[in-house]
Amino acid sequence: MANESRPCPCDIGDRSDYGGRGQEVQVEHIKAYICKPPASTDKAVIVIHDIFGWQLPNTRYITDMLTTNGYIAICPDFFVGQEAWKPSNDWATFDDWLKTRNASKTDKEVDVVLKYLSKQCGAKRIGVIGFCWGGAAVHHLMLKNPHLKTGVSLYGVIKFFEDSSSLLHPTFFIFAEKDEYISMEQVKQLEQKLKQNCKVHYEVKIYPGQTHGFVHRKREDINPQDKLYIEEGRKDMINWLNKYL
């Protein structure tokens, strides 16, 4: 089982030199990382980063992985120039830092990116995935945005979620059994709310023995015993996108 000692192990790949296969672009007021597949496609995925921001190598690695599966993939800077969290920061200041970066205040940026994907990239069917902070943003967007077709929330921190479960679009929730930040009791409560209120297809899946950040861990940071579940999580994410896009 993964046993990282840091407060949030989803930054674990930032020691990697992975630079990405895509390019950085300016989309109106937002910087973004975009990668396109060799063959033309009208399917795209917006990637919403975690607290470590849009430049984290782990997140670019997954963005590129989406491209190898045939999607235009774009990871915008949803902090819009504000500094991402750094592992060296004082965790005692985290709550104050977070107050200026609300996962449910992403609508304006998403609308800008949707317009760019449609007009500049020819995308007609667009989904969204997000990690941690970004997973909470996916939950919000699945409640609010009529233009997105589907979403995958990867270990979205449930305490950041809005208290609503009337999803507009099919949504897949990925959780880690040993997540220090998301208790299994919280996941159970989410499932109960979805069962009561949700009228679209959803799935909640818990991956045994895994810790926060497991799906977008870099290759060199994966323990052999976790590899099966990490690969399963990535495959499940792609299968979900393939089904609804």
Side-chain angles (χ1 to χ4, degrees), residues 73-96:
I74 186 168
C75 181
D77 175 15
F78 282 98
F79 294 159
V80 197
Q82 289 182 295
E83 273 198 44
W85 186 257
K86 294 185 180 67
S88 58
N89 288 3
D90 179 2
W91 283 89
T93 67
F94 180 72
D95 287 344
D96 286 336

Side-chain angles (χ1 to χ4, degrees), residues 119-186:
K119 305 256 187 202
Q120 303 298 321
C121 304
K124 295 177 182 175
R125 298 183 64 79
I126 302 170
V128 60
I129 70 166
F131 306 98
C132 183
W133 182 92
V138 168
H139 183 98
H140 165 77
L141 292 164
M142 290 297 96
L143 294 167
K144 305 288 185 184
N145 195 301
H147 303 295
L148 292 161
K149 300 297 184 186
T150 191
V152 181
S153 172
L154 297 102
Y155 26 89
V157 180
I158 291 176
K159 65 182 179 181
F160 300 162
F161 282 4
E162 295 165 68
D163 191 21
S164 177
S165 49
S166 301
L167 303 169
L168 297 176
H169 313 286
T171 307
F172 183 37
F173 296 89
I174 287 176
F175 292 108
E177 183 192 22
K178 303 295 184 181
D179 198 314
E180 293 178 48
Y181 311 100
I182 306 167
S183 70
M184 291 300 97
E185 182 58 32
Q186 288 176 318

Side-chain angles (χ1 to χ4, degrees), residues 34-224:
I34 188 168
C35 195
K36 297 179 182 179
S40 62
T41 180
D42 64 356
K43 297 177 181 181
V45 179
I46 299 170
V47 179
I48 306 184
H49 54 74
D50 57 21
I51 60 172
F52 298 102
W54 71 297
Q55 293 176 311
L56 186 74
N58 306 50
T59 305
R60 295 198 170 184
Y61 183 74
I62 294 294
T63 305
D64 290 353
M65 191 189 80
L66 290 167
T67 302
T68 64
N69 283 273
Y71 295 99
I72 300 163
I74 186 168
C75 181
D77 175 15
F78 282 98
F79 294 159
V80 197
Q82 289 182 295
E83 273 198 44
W85 186 257
K86 294 185 180 67
S88 58
N89 288 3
D90 179 2
W91 283 89
T93 67
F94 180 72
D95 287 344
D96 286 336
W97 175 89
L98 191 63
K99 285 174 186 173
T100 62
R101 295 157 180 82
N102 189 329
S104 63
K105 304 282 187 190
T106 50
D107 302 272
K108 180 181 176 184
E109 282 67 46
V110 168
D111 286 344
V112 166
V113 174
L114 283 168
K115 180 176 153 191
Y116 172 82
L117 288 171
S118 173
K119 305 256 187 202
Q120 303 298 321
C121 304
K124 295 177 182 175
R125 298 183 64 79
I126 302 170
V128 60
I129 70 166
F131 306 98
C132 183
W133 182 92
V138 168
H139 183 98
H140 165 77
L141 292 164
M142 290 297 96
L143 294 167
K144 305 288 185 184
N145 195 301
H147 303 295
L148 292 161
K149 300 297 184 186
T150 191
V152 181
S153 172
L154 297 102
Y155 26 89
V157 180
I158 291 176
K159 65 182 179 181
F160 300 162
F161 282 4
E162 295 165 68
D163 191 21
S164 177
S165 49
S166 301
L167 303 169
L168 297 176
H169 313 286
T171 307
F172 183 37
F173 296 89
I174 287 176
F175 292 108
E177 183 192 22
K178 303 295 184 181
D179 198 314
E180 293 178 48
Y181 311 100
I182 306 167
S183 70
M184 291 300 97
E185 182 58 32
Q186 288 176 318
V187 175
K188 185 178 176 182
Q189 289 173 4
L190 172 66
E191 286 185 285
Q192 288 172 343
K193 288 179 185 177
L194 289 167
K195 189 174 182 179
Q196 290 167 359
N197 304 313
C198 191
K199 294 181 171 60
V200 298
H201 185 211
Y202 69 88
E203 186 175 339
V204 176
K205 185 169 179 178
I206 299 164
Y207 295 76
Q210 298 312 295
T211 56
H212 194 75
F214 76 102
V215 174
H216 72 312
R217 212 147 278 160
K218 287 295 300 304
R219 183 174 59 249
E220 62 269 31
D221 298 311
I222 293 173
N223 293 330

